Amino acid sequence: MKRLFRHSQSPNPSTHRGRQRSTRVSTGTRLGLLLLCSVLVVGLVITTNFAVAQSDSSLQEQEDQLIREYTLPTTPQKEPVYKPAPASPPKKSTSPTRKRTTPAPSQPPPQSQPTRSAPASTEPEAPAPARRSPAPSSPAREEETAEAEPLPTEEYILQFNRSPIVGNRFRFRGVYSEARLGFTRPRGWKIQGAKALIRFQHSPALIAKDSNLTVRVNGTSVGSVPLNRQQSEIGSVLFNVPSRLIQDYNELTIVARQSNDEKCSDPGDPTLWTEVLPDSELQFEYQPQPIPLNFSRYPYPFFDDLSLDTNRIVYLLPKVNDTWLTAASRFQAALGRMAEFRPIDTDIINDLEDVEWGQRLVVIGTPAEQPALADLDLPFSISGNQILDGNQVALPSDVGILMMTTTLDGAVPVLVVTGNGADGVAKAAQFLVQPDSRKFGTGQAVLVNSLKEIDTPSLRNWPGYLPEKNSFTLSEIQTQANGEPFQDITVRGSGAPPILIDFHALPDDQFARGSSMTMHYSYSPQVNPRTSAVEVLLDGTFIGGARLSSEDGAKRKRLKVDLPPHLIKPDSQVEVAFRLNPREPGVCGKVTDQQLTGTLHADTSFNLNRQQSVQLPDLELFQEGYPFAAPQDLSRTAIVVPDSPSNTDLLTLLTISERLGRLSKADSVNLDAYTTTTLPAEVRESHHLVGIGTREQFPFPEVFDGSGFRLRNAFSRQWNQGSIQSLPDNEGMIKEVMSPDNKERVLLALTAQTSNGLARVLEVIKKDPFFFQLQEDTVLISSNQQDSASYDPDAYTLEFLERAPSTRRIENTGVLSKVSRFIQDNWFFLPAGIFAIALLLYGISQFYLKRLSDQKSH
């Protein structure tokens, strides 16, 4: 055992050597692997660094390549300068801002108010002229002029009757009365002097020493005149207005203090009156300032929201294609949004020679589509119908290019919307219609590389209308003046004006009983609780009110008022009127009431019971833009013109685009326009459509085959199974029908038998007094005047035809609401239904009684 044990424990030389070799092999393997890993790590680090360096180098090369592709031309030494047209055109000379001299017209178009001398007065009076200080320096928006040359002084006449407040009558009543008129100072005007010519007449019962007329400009009095005319003779007085008082936005206030009794005048006496005649006027002397063109000032000078005249836009017509149609319609819609209530005069020319003084020229299209671009002095050169960069390399076709220049010796600014391809032109136009994008534009030229896509708003997100939710507060409604949310509003005095709240329901809203307004208000002490009250009116109809019963005033009061469902409309307005009377009666017409206040608080709440339900077609809804402005970016609307559109067709396209822009508010414009053959099938099925053209070229001839009024061949027309022929037929027609390709969409037809009739459709769409009369589903437009563009309010006659039987209700309601609506629409079936149900119940009851009696008999 010991031997065996010792043997087993004794080392074996061969085994020991094998173990040594194994140990050496294992150690060598470890060293090799360690060395290999080190090599791999070092190689990986080197490879990574090389890859990063290669990537940085590649990125740098791409950036350098991008910069090379977009190398800008050398900055011109002299920027193009817009020189507003003077009263008379300058002598023809070569313009430094264009390559080809365009001759000026022999005479510029007259201004809206011609320059004339002051009317003669029976007893002219002029107060002592105010001390005139030097004219203020030009505002920052006018900047320094590019040329130091003497500037002409022009005169402009602004008559009072241009204001809708004045019209044909401007009367002051009572012991103390005042009225205000607003006016603006156009951009580019440096006022040298201003005067207010007031023509008036007054009651012969007024006492001259106690009666006078005072004129204030922006709160500063510029003079007074006694009311001392005999037998209501017309008086005339000329007030000097210091130029330093004239700002961008101005207010002229006329105050009449009237007395017909030396001791006490009754404020309600009808003999206390004074009238300022509507031909009174403001006279301006100004210097039109040359202004360098720069996209930082856009949309000026192409649109001036301070202009006293109509902004005149003219398009240079290329070969018409979908790119131009869409870009022009979107641009015009954006102008309509900026203009709001201000008028725009739009025209189309075929050559640069046709442009006139006072117009603003817009050129849209590629150099191949607009060869006239080569005749303008532009910062980018053009070669072979391609726009080149600073290295004389053609810019990519998907890059939009915007440029400004002038023609007619600088009197006409030119806006160029172009690119080397259709995508570039569309991108350049889209840059101008998106407010957030165009804010950072500057310089004479802009390259649009990319644009942020604006999300489409929801169908019921209409700025300026009621919120989408049914419960909201007054602070969630926007004010009409500046679009800001309502805050607490306080009015003062016994004659305080009502607080106006735009309560514009969405066009597809249908209201039911249960809608209410919970008003939170407060008022000051010292009111007479017997005669003071707060009233709530909806479109002039009294719907609720309460007495102001606390003599010490109230911190907070609460009043709940029911909102009648039949009164709430898309143009409704809620009025909150505080009728405040002091405790002490007035003495001799003088009332101390400025301590009386009433406050409407912003936490006033509304709770509406409404649903979405609307019956189409209905042109009255089109007054609000519905359904074409749902959503508000116009992305579900397409305008279609004939394959070979006439100028009248294109002007109608621009006019309807402008109208849709005025009726909508959004961060973008996605309106589409096509010709008849290029209209995609998916757009035809999914969009609301607007068809334009005479009957022979109308894009949707099925409109004339449907129900209702129809136009036929050979100047024939049919309606109510009657058919006639007329010669000539110069009437226009606006007709709304359900789209033949989608019963959830609407087709609006702007058509006529002749081009003259279509021109009348254009004017009705353009002018507010006629557009906001549209109703039913078909309107026939006629005129007895030769000039279809007349501004006479009686220039056109609109005849409305009753709705065709093929109407459709678009709604998003529950089953019970649909049943209720069916019963309301078909109430005449109700007696028959009740009788039928009674018979059915009677039969069931008789059957049951008979069966019961049979069971008892057995």
Side-chain angles (χ1 to χ4, degrees), residues 784-796:
N784 296 324
Q785 299 187 8
Q786 294 287 342
D787 183 10
S788 61
S790 173
Y791 284 88
D792 185 351
D794 300 323
Y796 303 96

Side-chain angles (χ1 to χ4, degrees), residues 543-830:
I543 59 175
R547 287 178 54 195
L548 304 183
S549 56
S550 174
E551 295 184 359
D552 298 330
K555 293 183 178 180
R556 284 274 182 159
K557 284 287 187 177
R558 181 175 175 269
L559 174 64
K560 186 175 181 180
V561 178
D562 291 332
L563 299 174
H566 64 282
L567 292 180
I568 307 176
K569 301 176 182 178
D571 58 349
S572 291
Q573 195 172 59
V574 172
E575 300 178 31
V576 177
F578 285 93
R579 312 301 183 188
L580 305 173
N581 293 311
R583 295 182 186 178
E584 300 297 331
V587 179
C588 198
K590 298 178 181 179
V591 179
T592 304
D593 61 354
Q594 291 305 296
Q595 77 280 7
L596 305 179
T597 62
T599 301
L600 176 67
H601 296 282
D603 58 352
T604 295
S605 61
F606 299 87
N607 187 17
L608 304 181
N609 184 11
R610 58 179 174 176
Q611 58 188 4
Q612 302 176 40
S613 181
V614 64
Q615 189 169 350
L616 296 174
D618 187 357
L619 287 175
E620 188 172 358
L621 294 174
F622 183 45
Q623 296 180 20
E624 307 298 328
Y626 189 83
F628 305 96
Q632 288 277 280
D633 65 349
L634 309 177
S635 58
R636 285 195 182 182
T637 299
I639 305 175
V640 187
V641 297
D643 291 329
S644 299
S646 64
N647 281 8
T648 305
D649 297 333
L650 297 177
L651 285 174
T652 306
L653 173 135
L654 296 174
T655 301
I656 190 65
S657 301
E658 178 188 325
R659 176 59 66 180
L660 290 174
R662 293 177 186 268
L663 296 174
S664 61
K665 293 181 181 179
D667 294 331
S668 182
V669 180
N670 291 317
L671 181 65
D672 293 323
Y674 305 92
T675 60
T676 304
T677 56
T678 60
L679 176 64
E682 59 273 15
V683 173
R684 184 181 181 117
E685 295 177 359
S686 62
H687 283 52
H688 299 289
L689 303 174
V690 179
I692 297 173
T694 57
R695 190 199 60 81
E696 294 181 354
Q697 294 184 323
F698 193 71
F700 306 100
E702 53 268 32
V703 170
F704 306 114
D705 298 330
S707 58
F709 182 84
R710 292 173 287 177
L711 298 178
R712 292 295 191 181
N713 296 328
F715 295 106
S716 64
R717 44 175 58 188
Q718 296 179 355
W719 187 49
N720 284 346
Q721 300 180 354
S723 177
I724 63 170
Q725 283 183 285
S726 58
L727 184 68
D729 186 353
N730 287 325
E731 280 194 342
M733 183 180 78
I734 301 176
K735 184 176 182 179
E736 188 175 271
V737 299
M738 301 307 298
S739 175
D741 299 286
N742 187 342
K743 296 305 180 184
E744 300 292 326
R745 299 290 181 263
V746 168
L747 169 61
L748 179 68
L750 308 178
T751 185
Q753 290 280 16
T754 62
S755 180
N756 289 338
L758 187 60
R760 290 169 180 168
V761 172
L762 181 156
E763 294 298 325
V764 168
I765 296 294
K766 179 180 180 180
K767 295 182 173 63
D768 291 350
F770 301 105
F771 177 78
F772 289 107
Q773 295 182 35
L774 298 182
Q775 55 182 295
E776 305 298 346
D777 66 357
T778 304
V779 181
L780 300 181
I781 306 164
S782 60
S783 176
N784 296 324
Q785 299 187 8
Q786 294 287 342
D787 183 10
S788 61
S790 173
Y791 284 88
D792 185 351
D794 300 323
Y796 303 96
T797 301
L798 307 184
E799 184 176 355
F800 307 101
L801 305 184
E802 297 179 359
R803 293 185 185 180
S806 57
T807 60
R808 181 176 178 84
R809 180 165 292 278
I810 307 298
E811 56 186 355
N812 182 16
T813 59
V815 176
L816 293 178
S817 298
K818 292 181 179 180
V819 172
S820 175
R821 167 58 57 185
F822 177 80
I823 294 176
Q824 292 178 16
D825 293 341
N826 303 276
W827 60 269
F828 45 85
F829 288 129
L830 189 60

Side-chain angles (χ1 to χ4, degrees), residues 181-195:
L181 291 176
F183 64 95
T184 58
R185 176 187 60 186
R187 289 180 168 85
W189 276 23
K190 183 177 181 181
I191 300 295
Q192 299 297 107
K195 296 179 181 179

Side-chain angles (χ1 to χ4, degrees), residues 82 355-361 405-408 410-414:
Y82 167 54
V355 69
E356 299 177 356
W357 293 83
Q359 292 180 333
R360 281 78 166 163
L361 178 61
T405 185
T406 61
T407 186
L408 281 186
V412 175
V414 182

